[in-house]
Amino acid sequence: STAAPQISLEALLVRAPAVILFATTNATTTQQNLNFWQAYPSLPAVKNQRIYGIHADWLVRPGPRMALGVKAVCKALSP
């Protein structure tokens, strides 16, 4: 299998994303990710509270639950 593309934190900060999505498996991981991004208050995604954790199983395991992942991504990206 091919590894997913990686982007450096510096490159991400330069791009100033309006939305940040991350895969998560539990409430602790979700909170850790949310806390991490709070260190970058100038990012539009942080400033506008548009950081979303989506259950990893919905995103990476092929099957019917992928539809839940697609729905969660669409909801996060909707204005």
Side-chain angles (χ1 to χ4, degrees), residues 10-72:
E10 293 79 12
L12 184 132
L13 294 174
V14 167
R15 299 291 291 246
V19 178
I20 295 173
L21 305 175
F22 60 89
T24 187
T25 55
N26 59 56
T28 301
T29 304
T30 299
Q31 195 57 55
Q32 288 171 342
N33 274 286
L34 294 173
N35 291 343
F36 173 82
W37 289 111
Q38 295 311 307
Y40 304 96
S42 63
L43 284 179
V46 176
K47 204 181 312 184
N48 298 315
Q49 299 179 13
R50 303 232 22 229
I51 306 170
Y52 304 97
I54 299 173
H55 199 290
D57 284 349
W58 295 357
L59 298 173
V60 298
R61 287 192 179 185
R65 288 186 289 179
M66 284 193 104
L68 296 172
V70 170
K71 184 177 179 180

Side-chain angles (χ1 to χ4, degrees), residues 1-6 60:
S1 76
T2 304
Q6 300 291 311
V60 298

